[in-house]
Amino acid sequence: MKFELRQLTVNDGADVFQMLKQIRTVENSFTNPVHDMTFDEFREWLVQQDGWNSAQNLPKGYVRQTVYWYYADGKPVGIGKIRHGLTPESRKNGGNIGYAIASDYRGKGYGTGLLEELIRKAREFSIDEILLTIDKGNYASKTVAERNGGRLTDENDERWYYSL
């Protein structure tokens, strides 16, 4: 099987849109606003996200963010986000890498490969501190973090905190 990480573009199409429809709006603290969007709204969202990658029109308190699609044999199966910095809020809720696999493709190891690629990209961006915040009970993401060398550095009643 061939895997590929592709950066979001404003020209992404129906294949990515349909994949994102398989990820709930909020799933284990990962937010996916596309789930409830029309295709035209999705196209506008792509433009917004492309701007955020260039640090343009960022909402107050946000940092630059790059979005990627994870492909398996030419089909998009997941989404990954890299925040290029950590804020006090993202240190508590979100970290600087987030990812989700579409429901049809879960349980096949794609999350492990996606996180591995996102870590590699973060290093290419010279992001030295990588933090994942994982909801307690999300054992799949906990396993993915550990398979990618994550170290549990803290936890509270709601989340585990992994450094990579």
Side-chain angles (χ1 to χ4, degrees):
M1 190 164 281
K2 182 178 184 249
F3 297 99
E4 181 183 6
L5 194 65
R6 296 183 194 169
Q7 187 172 327
L8 172 148
T9 73
V10 296
N11 297 315
D12 289 322
D15 59 341
V16 170
F17 180 69
Q18 291 304 319
M19 179 271 296
L20 290 170
K21 289 295 200 176
Q22 293 183 38
I23 300 168
R24 290 189 307 262
T25 304
V26 178
E27 209 167 276
N28 292 311
S29 295
F30 182 88
T31 58
N32 172 31
V34 175
H35 181 78
D36 296 321
M37 290 181 180
T38 65
F39 188 73
D40 287 339
E41 291 169 329
F42 164 68
R43 304 289 294 169
E44 292 172 14
W45 178 83
L46 291 172
V47 171
Q48 175 195 59
Q49 294 301 304
D50 186 60
W52 289 7
N53 177 51
S54 302
Q56 296 174 3
N57 302 313
L58 289 171
K60 184 177 179 171
Y62 278 49
V63 298
R64 180 179 166 210
Q65 174 177 278
T66 306
V67 175
Y68 293 94
W69 316 125
Y70 191 56
Y71 280 76
D73 285 341
K75 293 181 183 176
V77 299
I79 177 177
K81 301 176 185 178
I82 298 175
R83 290 186 187 101
H84 292 254
L86 288 164
T87 65
E89 178 62 26
S90 65
R91 283 186 184 283
K92 291 187 319 189
N93 306 309
N96 53 348
I97 291 183
Y99 60 91
I101 300 296
S103 58
D104 284 354
Y105 301 99
R106 293 182 185 156
K108 297 176 172 54
Y110 295 150
T112 300
L114 173 54
L115 181 57
E116 179 181 354
E117 291 297 319
L118 292 169
I119 292 166
R120 186 180 57 72
K121 282 289 185 191
R123 300 276 188 243
E124 288 176 12
F125 288 127
S126 300
I127 298 172
D128 295 327
E129 180 184 10
I130 298 175
L131 173 68
L132 301 178
T133 66
I134 301 170
D135 286 0
K136 287 265 179 105
N138 185 352
Y139 293 100
S141 280
K142 183 178 188 295
T143 300
V144 165
E146 291 169 352
R147 286 183 179 159
N148 277 284
R151 292 180 301 103
L152 181 65
T153 56
D154 198 7
E155 67 180 284
N156 58 33
D157 291 342
E158 298 172 358
R159 290 181 183 80
W160 294 298
Y161 297 84
Y162 277 86
S163 290
L164 293 143

